[in-house]
Amino acid sequence: MNLEVKNENYIESLYWRYATKKFDNEKELSEEDLEKLLESVQLSASSYGLQPYEIFVIKDSETKQKLREAAWNQPQLTESSHVFVFANFRKIEEEHIDAYLDNIASSRNTSRESLKGMEDMLKNTILSLSEEEQRIWGAKQTYIALGNLLSAAAGFKIDTCPMEGFDNAKFDEILNLEEKNLTSSVIATVGYRSEEDSVQHFEKVRKNKSELYTIL
Ligand SMILES: Cc1cc2nc3c(=O)[nH]c(=O)nc-3n(C[C@H](O)[C@H](O)[C@H](O)COP(=O)(O)O)c2cc1C
């Protein structure tokens, strides 16, 4: 691994981050730290800026236990402080696009009429996708938010484990997602590493830059 830029703080935090296998279940995220994570994820980029998803942040132990049982009993679900469940829309409705355009108009103090061109473009493009295409597209957006959570948390020295190892249908049932027109796509457990987690000492395994990049 090329460590020549390792001294820069941001890169350093990316080396510090690892997919935590064992959390210290005595340590809880403070309200302040949680707020920093919520704000970081809120600022994630998304295609057109639509953010076609919602995120459930679970602290309640009973719910975490149920989720653990639907996640191949992975201990991170109950040992971490909070579980973030990213859930994209099952079907993107006209009202989602309207709400977004209303938000642009009020955030930027502009008239709704001036956004007519954008409205037509968004509705024509997104609403003509099949439900499956919308779901795939929506799920992709959640992964950008997930990536942001992992990197931001590392910057604040908060540990995470991204996870796809869970039963999506069971998660949807536990969190009543279907009735909210949502479906779970990916999750992350968040908290503080246990000193006993030997994985934190493992060397990073990554492709060489020459294998990963083609610079033209
Ligand atoms: C989308 C995604 C899903 C993952 N699912 C799981 C999982 O279910 N359980 C787990 O322990 N680790 C999971 N991981 C962690 C990866 O195994 C880990 O990120 C990878 O081996 C690289 O190691 P590092 O993140 O520690 O650098 C997942 C990672 C990603 C990005």
Side-chain angles (χ1 to χ4, degrees):
M1 190 70 59
N2 177 1
L3 302 181
E4 66 198 36
V5 284
K6 203 180 164 186
N7 284 336
E8 295 195 16
N9 287 345
Y10 183 69
I11 301 282
E12 187 106 50
S13 71
L14 297 182
Y15 277 101
W16 179 85
R17 186 208 64 77
Y18 76 108
T20 304
K21 302 295 168 189
K22 191 168 174 36
F23 284 87
D24 182 339
N25 63 6
E26 309 267 287
K27 289 194 188 158
E28 223 179 68
L29 278 185
S30 66
E31 283 298 318
E32 197 189 330
D33 280 347
L34 177 62
E35 193 49 46
K36 285 190 220 163
L37 295 182
L38 299 185
E39 194 154 352
S40 303
V41 176
Q42 180 188 22
L43 290 169
S44 298
S46 64
S47 187
Y48 303 118
L50 191 69
Q51 297 175 286
Y53 51 75
E54 291 183 23
I55 301 155
F56 293 75
V57 181
I58 293 129
K59 188 180 160 201
D60 175 64
S61 344
E62 238 172 76
T63 311
K64 287 201 292 187
Q65 179 57 39
K66 284 189 202 154
L67 295 177
R68 174 172 170 163
E69 286 159 25
W72 322 122
N73 202 28
Q74 294 189 78
Q76 294 101 314
L77 273 291
T78 50
E79 288 177 352
S80 62
S81 171
H82 289 69
V83 180
F84 280 54
V85 178
F86 295 83
N88 54 286
F89 293 141
R90 286 169 178 261
K91 183 169 178 351
I92 300 174
E93 310 278 6
E94 194 165 349
E95 71 194 55
H96 296 132
I97 297 174
D98 284 331
Y100 174 48
L101 292 161
D102 291 346
N103 194 354
I104 299 178
S106 70
S107 302
R108 297 191 170 156
N109 201 18
T110 183
S111 74
R112 188 68 166 69
E113 295 69 53
S114 68
L115 301 171
K116 184 78 180 95
M118 185 177 189
E119 174 175 350
D120 291 343
M121 183 276 290
L122 288 178
K123 289 186 178 171
N124 289 336
T125 319
I126 298 169
L127 300 180
S128 66
L129 297 174
S130 69
E131 260 186 59
E132 193 194 356
E133 286 169 328
Q134 289 183 347
R135 275 199 209 185
I136 293 170
W137 180 73
K140 284 185 195 169
Q141 310 309 315
T142 65
Y143 277 72
I144 298 171
L146 170 77
N148 223 9
L149 170 65
L150 304 186
S151 304
F156 302 128
K157 291 276 184 291
I158 297 167
D159 287 293
T160 52
C161 186
M163 297 178 138
E164 279 177 328
F166 67 96
D167 184 324
N168 145 279
K170 286 191 184 149
F171 264 52
D172 289 3
E173 207 180 297
I174 295 165
L175 299 172
N176 294 318
L177 297 185
E178 188 166 0
E179 66 192 43
K180 299 181 182 113
N181 184 26
L182 291 165
T183 184
S184 51
S185 57
V186 69
I187 67 172
T189 51
V190 181
Y192 297 97
R193 65 187 67 177
S194 158
E195 279 175 21
E196 289 162 22
D197 190 359
S198 56
V199 181
Q200 66 191 286
H201 305 298
F202 292 0
E203 188 64 29
K204 282 259 172 261
V205 180
R206 293 294 190 270
K207 288 182 179 178
N208 290 326
K209 291 199 182 88
S210 61
E211 292 170 299
L212 187 60
Y213 299 110
T214 300
I215 299 179
L216 299 172

